[in-house]
Amino acid sequence: MKRLSLLLVILLAVLSVRAGDKEAKETMRRATQYMMDVASYKGGFVWSYLPDFSRQWGELEAWRTMVWLQSPSTPDVGQVLLDAYHATGDEYYYESACKVARCIIHGQHPSGGWNYMFDYESEETTKKWYATIGRQAWRLEEFQHYYGNATFDDEATTHCAEFLLRIYLEKKAPEFYAPLQKAIQFFLDSQYANGSWPQRYPLMYDHPFRGKADYSSFITINDDVMPSNIEFLTRCYTSLGMNELKEPILRAMHCMRDLQQPLPLAGWGDQYFVDNQKPAHARSYEPRAVNTGTTVGMIHQMIHFYKQTGDKSFLKGIPRAIQFLESEKLPAEWVSQLGRRPLGDGDIFMPRFIDPDTRKPMYVHRKGSNVVNGQYYTDSIPAATIAHYSSFMTTNPTMLRKALEEAEALDPKQLKQQSPLRKATTSGPQEYYYRPSAGMGRRMPMPNVDTIISSLDGEGRWITVFHQISNPYKPIPADMATDSDDRQYAQTMVGDEYDTSPYSNTDVKGISTRTYIWNMVALINSLRHQ
């Protein structure tokens, strides 16, 4: 009897799991059909949509015929679709991923890269968008000028190229090979002789801004341009057998190492002048500086490069970098005075930007109310800095030293033997399993699977509160085009009614690509872990 009872319990558990799997798969399919058939535009996505599609947004408000390529959008959906294909074996997801890939290929620039977005209607429509919505996004200066080329910023090109690589490897479909090769060539064509990359390519110099040179051709680390490019080329090296990529990869790694500045400011900047490899400016609120936050990231990057290569030269500059960070420590009492989060045990509080000439901190402020009468500026006053781009950073020098010590304890010979760069290889389909924290903005708690299933509505939608919305576009009156000393918007995410920059909102609900991705990841994981 006991044995029979035990078998019955096991049988009920198996049936319960299978029922749960069935519900999860049905939910995934219905939600995906809605996103592909209703929300998408020819296989492309933006970030969020009102339920009636009267308005939609990428990083800024978009038109219905536009496709966004910055995360979380089109290439991210493609990755999740392939994850769903691997988790279920349902060819529908592969076919849907192919539709997304064809959309991305449609938006590929002739040079081989991608812009932040494209418009299916025409390039003229894109130019009109830049001249209106983009032009009036006060804090998003990268959208205030239409270059007509491609960008590495926000990994727009990298994410598209990574998805093409993965979908090509899935079944080696010939239609994806040529666009993938074109993308790889874009990375090689745009690389400078010293191993670095510009923010945008083909090179353009036609947008000097507020008396400063166009920064889009400068060597760029900001937003992981160089690390992400290296990672993509490494994936191609280890999956396509492209031995010719090893030299560009190593050249880029060595360049990043060599961009570290000498003591006393032995850190890294976000951008560099091409001719002398000294820190350079970018947007108005990104002054020419050594950046403490970027320096922390580069310390971890140098450790990663050492683990990939066994080359100890990547570790040599780290002690100097930590010494630099410690030298910029601000008084602990400033944390509460400036409204910052309490420091953790061992954390230090630092200014983000250090002037490479004077060695003094620079704090970023703004005045005015919109793009025509407002301006950003830096000074030595740490109070009332801008809200959308912090003038401060925290780090933990003890933890940085511990990470360095752990890396130094590794055997360099073994690292070289295990290096992914030791020999070019070829591979079959690549597993990805999308990580929503990468490129998804603020961290969100992983949703409960039962809640996900029950919250899908009758149309196949997850209706959710939007993270951000924006003011509708309307032209700025000519009489406002005078510099203003207004401080009302000094610490807000958006300026006056003419500013099209996004701002936080908790009232508007609709269809979120971010939510679709996040919920699909949870459902896929529930299937994988059964």
Side-chain angles (χ1 to χ4, degrees):
M1 179 65 78
K2 288 182 179 180
R3 180 178 176 83
L4 182 61
S5 299
L6 179 60
L7 289 173
L8 183 60
V9 168
I10 294 173
L11 178 60
L12 289 173
V14 170
L15 290 174
S16 176
V17 168
R18 288 178 178 173
D21 282 0
K22 182 180 179 182
E23 282 188 300
K25 288 179 181 179
E26 288 176 351
T27 302
M28 289 166 58
R29 182 68 179 258
R30 287 180 57 221
T32 300
Q33 286 176 328
Y34 181 85
M35 293 297 289
M36 293 301 301
D37 298 344
V38 182
S40 81
Y41 192 86
K42 298 184 179 180
F45 297 85
V46 295
W47 291 6
S48 52
Y49 311 80
L50 290 183
D52 63 358
F53 297 96
S54 58
R55 295 182 75 191
Q56 49 271 313
W57 292 266
E59 188 164 14
L60 292 174
E61 183 163 6
W63 293 331
R64 185 64 179 125
T65 52
M66 294 181 81
V67 172
W68 223 264
L69 301 172
Q70 291 168 285
S71 291
S73 61
T74 308
D76 308 273
V77 172
Q79 294 282 13
V80 168
L81 290 171
L82 287 180
D83 284 354
Y85 174 58
H86 280 264
T88 65
D90 187 343
E91 288 291 328
Y92 168 76
Y93 292 109
Y94 175 74
E95 293 165 3
S96 296
C98 289
K99 186 176 180 180
V100 172
R102 293 179 191 115
C103 168
I104 288 173
I105 292 167
H106 180 84
Q108 190 172 22
H109 188 269
S111 63
W114 286 266
N115 190 24
Y116 301 109
M117 90 298 285
F118 67 91
D119 195 313
Y120 261 108
E121 188 168 322
S122 69
E123 185 177 14
E124 291 306 311
T125 309
T126 304
K127 290 178 179 178
K128 182 180 178 182
W129 182 92
Y130 268 90
T132 53
I133 294 172
R135 174 72 181 86
Q136 289 185 197
W138 185 15
R139 68 178 176 85
L140 292 170
E141 294 173 0
E142 62 270 36
F143 293 108
Q144 293 176 16
H145 175 74
Y146 179 65
Y147 284 97
N149 57 5
T151 185
F152 288 116
D153 189 36
D154 287 349
E155 300 179 271
T157 286
T158 310
H159 285 165
C160 291
E162 286 175 343
F163 175 58
L164 285 188
L165 172 64
R166 186 182 176 200
I167 199 166
Y168 168 70
L169 290 172
E170 191 65 44
K171 296 188 178 183
K172 303 291 179 67
E175 67 174 307
F176 303 128
Y177 183 75
L180 171 60
Q181 289 297 319
K182 187 177 178 180
I184 295 170
Q185 192 61 45
F186 176 82
F187 283 77
L188 301 179
D189 291 343
S190 58
Q191 188 177 30
Y192 285 125
N194 66 3
S196 63
W197 280 277
Q199 186 192 72
R200 303 190 68 96
Y201 189 82
L203 299 177
M204 304 287 284
Y205 308 92
D206 62 343
H207 188 51
F209 190 71
R210 293 192 178 275
K212 294 183 179 180
D214 188 324
Y215 67 84
S216 63
S217 65
F218 294 167
I219 295 168
T220 304
I221 290 178
N222 191 33
D223 284 332
D224 287 333
V225 166
M226 289 186 65
S228 295
N229 289 3
I230 291 169
E231 181 64 25
F232 170 68
L233 291 180
T234 301
R235 288 182 182 180
C236 293
Y237 180 83
T238 59
S239 60
L240 298 175
M242 299 182 68
N243 191 61
E244 65 271 26
L245 296 181
K246 183 174 183 177
E247 188 278 332
I249 292 168
L250 291 174
R251 181 156 40 100
M253 288 180 171
H254 294 152
C255 178
M256 288 186 67
R257 175 198 64 195
D258 296 341
L259 288 173
Q260 183 180 11
Q261 299 300 289
L263 283 170
L265 304 183
W268 282 262
D270 287 324
Q271 295 81 212
Y272 295 80
F273 294 114
V274 178
D275 56 353
N276 61 16
Q277 297 185 33
K278 298 297 183 183
H281 64 274
R283 292 176 292 188
S284 297
Y285 45 87
E286 295 170 322
R288 186 172 67 90
V290 178
N291 188 321
T292 56
T294 300
T295 298
V296 172
M298 288 302 100
I299 288 173
H300 291 294
Q301 196 66 53
M302 292 302 109
I303 292 173
H304 175 63
F305 288 165
Y306 171 62
K307 291 178 178 179
Q308 281 194 311
T309 65
D311 182 350
K312 284 194 171 182
S313 71
F314 290 115
L315 303 181
K316 288 183 177 179
I318 293 179
R320 297 193 304 273
I322 298 173
Q323 180 182 340
F324 156 63
L325 293 172
E326 290 179 320
S327 74
E328 299 302 327
K329 179 181 178 180
L330 294 170
E333 58 267 25
W334 282 25
V335 175
S336 59
Q337 292 175 11
L338 295 170
R340 316 300 296 182
R341 293 180 180 177
L343 293 177
D345 187 28
D347 287 350
I348 62 172
F349 186 55
M350 309 169 291
R352 178 191 291 268
F353 300 117
I354 309 299
D355 189 315
D357 297 327
T358 66
R359 303 179 188 173
K360 294 181 179 179
M362 295 181 288
Y363 302 105
V364 184
H365 310 268
R366 75 178 184 184
K367 58 184 178 179
S369 65
N370 59 51
V371 72
V372 302
N373 66 25
Q375 67 179 63
Y376 289 86
Y377 63 95
T378 62
D379 61 22
S380 60
I381 301 172
T385 56
I386 59 174
H388 64 83
Y389 205 91
S390 178
S391 287
F392 304 94
M393 292 298 303
T394 62
T395 193
N396 190 308
T398 300
M399 297 304 293
L400 293 176
R401 286 195 173 92
K402 182 179 179 182
L404 173 60
E405 291 170 2
E406 290 174 351
E408 289 176 327
L410 299 174
D411 182 356
K413 291 183 179 179
Q414 186 175 7
L415 293 176
K416 290 178 181 178
Q417 192 70 21
Q418 297 172 346
S419 172
L421 298 176
R422 185 167 176 263
K423 184 179 180 181
T425 57
T426 57
S427 67
Q430 290 188 334
E431 295 298 337
Y432 187 83
Y433 295 116
Y434 191 90
R435 297 175 300 279
S437 60
M440 290 287 283
R442 64 183 181 181
R443 290 184 178 272
M444 300 166 60
M446 183 59 73
N448 176 272
V449 170
D450 291 336
T451 301
I452 291 172
I453 292 172
S454 63
S455 62
L456 191 74
D457 72 9
E459 295 184 45
R461 308 173 302 180
W462 282 298
I463 298 296
T464 186
V465 175
F466 286 166
H467 175 49
Q468 291 184 326
I469 62 168
S470 64
N471 295 323
Y473 167 77
K474 58 181 179 179
I476 300 174
D479 60 5
M480 293 190 73
T482 304
D483 286 350
S484 169
D485 201 41
D486 185 357
R487 304 302 169 115
Q488 179 181 354
Y489 305 101
Q491 292 186 278
T492 60
M493 295 297 287
V494 67
D496 61 23
E497 60 187 307
Y498 302 103
D499 184 3
T500 57
S501 302
Y503 60 91
S504 297
N505 182 279
T506 58
D507 298 324
V508 178
K509 294 183 179 181
I511 302 128
S512 166
T513 304
R514 179 196 303 265
T515 298
Y516 166 75
I517 291 170
W518 197 269
N519 288 350
M520 286 289 288
V521 168
L523 293 171
I524 289 167
N525 285 340
S526 74
L527 297 179
R528 290 173 57 218
H529 295 151
Q530 292 293 353

